C-alpha cells in the first residue's frame, strides 16, 4: 500500500524545522513523528544530508525502532494486552472477537482506518483484560464494552462505517 508523502520541499522544511542545534537523529525522528504522526520516506534524504549520514543509516534507525512509523497512523489504533494476567482473563477470546468485529488482523499493519496491535502488559494486570484505544487506557474490557469503545473512537475520528 502506498501512502501520501510530503513532497521533497515539504519534507526538507519538516527536517529543517526540527534539526535545531545539538539535535540528534533520534530527537529529530521523535519530533517529526510527534508533529505529523509518522516519519515519511521523503524525509530520509534531507535527514541524511543534514546529519552527514547515509540514507541507509537513517532508514536503518527508522526501521529498527518499532516506535517509528513509516506511514500515517490509522484513525483508530487498538493496542490489546496479550501478556499473562490478561491472557488468564480471556484476552485471546477478546482478540478473536475484535478481529471479527473490525475485519482486521492483529499485528499486520493497518487496513484503511483501523490498526490492531499486540502489546505486553499495560500495568493494569489487576484490571485485565486491558487495552488502549487511540492512547486511552481501558480495563476489564469485554466484547460488548469493546464494541462500544470502538464505535465511539470511530465516531470521534469521523470514520464512517
Ligand atoms: S498483563 Fe495485561 S496489563 Fe499486565
Amino acid at each position: 500500500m502506498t501512502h501520501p508523502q510530503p513532497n521533497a520541499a515539504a519534507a526538507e522544511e519538516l527536517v529543517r524545522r526540527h534539526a535545531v542545534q545539538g539535535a540528534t537523529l533520534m530527537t529529530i525522528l521523535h519530533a517529526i513523528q510527534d508533529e505529523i504522526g509518522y516519519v515519511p520516506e521523503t524525509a530520509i534524504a534531507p535527514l541524511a544530508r543534514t546529519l552527514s549520514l547515509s540514507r541507509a543509516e537513517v532508514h536503518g534507525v527508522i526501521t529498527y525502532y518499532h516506535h517509528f512509523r513509516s506511514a500515517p497512523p490509522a484513525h483508530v489504533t487498538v493496542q490489546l494486552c496479550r501478556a499473562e494476567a490478561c491472557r488468564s482473563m480471556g484476552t485471546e477470546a477478546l482478540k478473536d472477537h475484535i478481529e471479527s468485529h473490525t475485519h482486521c488482523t492483529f499485528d499486520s499493519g493497518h487496513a484503511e482506518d483501523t490498526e490492531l496491535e499486540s502489546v505486553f502488559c499495560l500495568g493494569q494486570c489487576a484490571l485485565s483484560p486491558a487495552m488502549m484505544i487511540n492512547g486511552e487506557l481501558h480495563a476489564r474490557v469485554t466484547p460488548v464494552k469493546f464494541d462500544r469503545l470502538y464505535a465511539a473512537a470511530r465516531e470521534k475520528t469521523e470514520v464512517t462505517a
Side-chain angles (χ1 to χ4, degrees), residues 80-87 91 119-131 137:
L80 176 66
C81 174
R82 297 177 69 190
E84 213 43 53
C86 285
R87 271 180 184 270
T91 215
V119 294
F120 295 89
C121 199
L122 291 165
Q124 299 294 313
C125 313
L127 300 172
S128 52
M131 70 169 52
L137 188 60

Side-chain angles (χ1 to χ4, degrees), residues 33-87:
Q33 185 156 302
D34 286 349
E35 182 179 329
I36 66 168
Y38 70 111
V39 180
E41 262 176 55
T42 48
I44 291 177
L47 278 167
R49 204 169 39 255
T50 302
L51 297 168
S52 301
L53 298 169
S54 70
R55 290 177 187 209
E57 286 171 309
V58 174
H59 182 261
V61 169
I62 294 168
T63 51
Y64 179 79
Y65 291 99
H66 183 69
H67 172 74
F68 294 121
R69 297 175 172 279
S70 295
H75 291 285
V76 180
T77 300
V78 176
Q79 295 172 301
L80 176 66
C81 174
R82 297 177 69 190
E84 213 43 53
C86 285
R87 271 180 184 270

